Amino acid sequence: MSDKPQNRGTFYLTTPLYYPNARPHVGSAYTTIVCDVLARYKRMGGYDVAFLTGTDEHGEKLARAAEAAGKSPGEFVAEQRKLFVELWRKLGLVYDYFVYTDQPDHVTSVQRMLLLAEKNEPGVVEKRRYEGRYCIFDERYVSDSTDPVNCDICGRPAELISEDNYFFKLSAFEDRLLKLYRRHLDDPTEYPTPFVQPDFRLNEVTSLVKGGLRDISISRRRIKWGVPWPGDPEQVFYVWYDALIGYMTGIGYADGERGNATFQKYWRNTEGIEGSQKSGARSQNAQPGAPSAGSQVASPGEFMHMIGKDILRQHAVYWPAFLMAAGMPLPKTVFAHGYINYEQDKMSKSKGNVVYPEPIVDALDSFGAPGNDALRYYLLREAPFGQDMSFSYDALIQRYNSDLANDLGNLANRTINMLSRYFGGVVPRPLRGWEHLATPYSDADGEQVTETAGLPPEWDPIFQPTERIAIEAERLRISLTTRFEGYDPSQALANAWGFVGDVNKYLVQLEPWVLAESNFNSNQSKVATILCTAGEALRFIAVLLAPVVPRSAQQIWRQLGCEGKVKNRRIDQLKWGGLKPGTKVGKPEPIFPRLDKAKTLARLRELAEADRERHQPKGATIVVPEQEPSAVSNQHSALGNQQSPAGEQSPITNHQSLNPKITIDDFTKVDMVVGQIVSAEAIPGAKKLLKLQVDIGSETRQVCAGIAEYYKPEELTGMKIVLVANLEPRKLRGVESNGMVVAASAGPEGKPVLATFKEDVPNGTRLK
């Protein structure tokens, strides 16, 4: 709990509900870390915070992935959910509520929202026939036409869908949505910030709605894995209606006709102090340390959604329309941040460049560095929040060494060391009135306590820079607050490090070590004032940076001899002069040991490779150097990649000798799965090669196959084939191939005949 009762209102913050079809990577961690920082900041600012994260566990893509894994959907998503919970725990993220859409009370929430919308706006939902193209992977309709088309998000071919669905009349909400988007202009007092942030995302959404909205299907008939439609057991809810309501389920919407006390407080903001004192209810998903509904709240609250830019349409168009239809309060802000790329390249499993947080934290921890804090700081500092950023190990190490080790670490280490060396580890008494330098005041006799009059002339070179540091500390608190309230953590940290640099310059300029060594007795008061100023600046820094680097901030706090937890201090109540004389400082220990770049890079890559091997499911691929067809080994023969030394295709006949016998263990190393060709096209300049997109249930693979002389692209679309899925990728004519299509080699010319199936076998099924 904070020093005083939280009394500035409620703040409800959510991450997206992550789709657990794959292991969470640094992109998922990025969103959640940012939310963790904001939640910590708001708590330290006196707000009653509820921070929710979770998983979106319905939809056709997950049903297919579960089938491919030979598990029920419930079993599959429960296992995948654990990956997120375990990673958040490792990263030290402190959320209050974890929701997952497969939990029973979520059914109540979703069905209640629908019935409320139908009651509040009769006719907003109706059943009709739909025919069009649908992207399974992005769970969205791509085109109302039956003509073939690729998804404009992922590029995969959209499937033809024809079925009876329930439609939400999104087109009826165009005017209301546009009014929502400009409400900060129409009523800046009530709504000082835009509904969608950053501004350029608001412009995107506004243009989209102005271009016209079509009604959207919010149910599915052909699948069963989802929330049942009330009164129509053949239908389940569309995942993008279902999942969004998870933000309400997680804080108790299903508990009681209007939700429980927690929901009333954080979503409806109707409870206030009187109501909150009547109930101490907590969500069944609350984590230890979560705020109870009995917290004292004196002012209205707000809530916001933090998302990636790829799901902006669903959160900024669909979601507010769904809430409007049901007559529910809207969030204050939907903030859509950019992507994290790897060294300017989009992260992709097929490219083998997906970055996972665990090896980063472990590698830095192994050298005594605070891995979690280093990752948090780098992600928030490296690029303006909202824009795409490029992740690289080099930049991570550089940012750590320059900012954390050299600047802040050096300031903390030498300040504590000098306090220990010159004053026996006890904070000395500085210049009279020092604690009021940032806010001068008059004493009982009306004398200006911090006035330079009366000080000996030799104090002038010390007093003025000391006063400047005190004033800058208060300015930093104000600027950092402003930046965080505006969701600009990168600039907030840039300002903080400007202050760190100024304090380091202050010490270099005044050289307290020279004053102490030359004549300590006569300079004692000056040295005391200088070191108290550096120590107090560190105390300010520890409090202000606690949301970003919580472990390191606590270490600074402890080494300064401050009591309790720094996270329990109030940023809005932080004032200069809190480092009291007589305080016993702790043992000076390096908080940010400098990293050797070469050794750290080697360790990062070593742990990343071990992590990939440990977690790599069968069928995943790794990166190899680009090779031309003449250099490709014979292991890709069925793709048309088998080459003789001269680069020509080897004539394989049925009369060749069989290879030596292998054991069953050798055979099980080959991972063969059922795949469906969703598109095929020629590769420019390649006579024999076709580029195939093959759906293997959990993902779509790009494969190059040497079958162009025998199969036309249009003949292949829809064909079920066998794919060897765990071969290393190869580049053929500059095109990456991730797998091998299995084929017989018939006749003296070695004509490839694709292995296929008479019966309909689900994509991703493994051959045994």
Side-chain angles (χ1 to χ4, degrees), residues 437-449:
L437 282 175
T439 53
Y441 80 106
S442 298
D443 64 11
D445 299 324
E447 180 185 351
Q448 189 79 13
V449 174

Side-chain angles (χ1 to χ4, degrees), residues 196-310:
V196 175
Q197 296 188 54
D199 290 345
F200 58 88
R201 299 292 177 210
L202 177 63
N203 295 337
E204 290 177 16
V205 173
T206 302
S207 297
L208 172 67
V209 175
K210 283 183 176 179
L213 296 175
R214 68 170 185 259
D215 298 343
I216 58 171
S217 169
I218 58 171
S219 75
R220 297 292 180 270
R221 183 180 179 184
R222 67 186 182 279
I223 61 172
K224 302 300 179 186
W225 180 239
V227 174
W229 192 273
D232 192 342
E234 292 186 342
Q235 302 269 350
V236 299
F237 280 86
Y238 169 45
V239 66
W240 273 117
Y241 189 91
D242 164 3
L244 293 164
I245 297 168
Y247 299 135
M248 303 167 71
T249 300
I251 54 171
Y253 178 54
D255 185 5
E257 186 175 343
R258 290 172 52 83
N260 64 16
T262 301
F263 181 79
Q264 292 290 323
K265 180 169 66 166
Y266 291 113
W267 196 283
R268 295 187 185 275
N269 306 133
T270 58
E271 193 172 61
I273 291 180
E274 181 179 350
S276 63
Q277 290 175 333
K278 295 178 181 177
S279 172
R282 289 171 62 89
S283 165
Q284 64 177 347
N285 304 311
Q287 302 299 308
S292 72
S295 299
Q296 301 243 342
V297 181
S299 51
E302 61 182 83
F303 61 96
M304 72 165 294
H305 301 306
M306 183 69 68
I307 61 170
K309 66 180 182 180
D310 55 323

Side-chain angles (χ1 to χ4, degrees), residues 651-679:
I652 303 175
T653 72
N654 293 332
H655 304 292
Q656 285 182 305
S657 300
L658 297 175
N659 288 325
K661 292 183 178 180
I662 62 174
T663 66
I664 188 65
D665 291 336
D666 292 324
F667 175 75
T668 56
K669 294 177 182 178
V670 180
D671 191 10
M672 293 186 290
V673 300
V674 176
Q676 185 172 22
I677 300 173
V678 294
S679 69

Side-chain angles (χ1 to χ4, degrees), residues 736-748:
E736 189 172 82
S737 180
N738 288 288
M740 181 179 77
V741 175
V742 175
S745 184

Side-chain angles (χ1 to χ4, degrees), residues 461-480:
I462 294 175
F463 179 82
Q464 291 178 359
T466 298
E467 185 179 40
R468 186 180 67 250
I469 291 296
I471 293 171
E472 285 182 5
E474 173 60 14
R475 287 174 178 168
L476 173 62
R477 185 190 69 79
I478 295 170
S479 70
L480 185 138

Side-chain angles (χ1 to χ4, degrees), residues 5-10 45-48 296-300 485 570 572:
Q6 294 179 332
N7 59 7
R8 298 187 65 192
T10 61
Y47 288 87
D48 183 344
Q296 301 243 342
V297 181
S299 51
E485 293 293 340
R570 287 281 291 266
D572 60 317

Side-chain angles (χ1 to χ4, degrees), residues 159 179 265 310 324 336 364 387 391 430 538 655 672 753:
E159 296 188 8
K179 183 177 180 181
K265 180 169 66 166
D310 55 323
M324 289 174 183
L364 270 60
Q387 304 282 353
F391 187 102
L538 272 175
H655 304 292
M672 293 186 290
V753 179

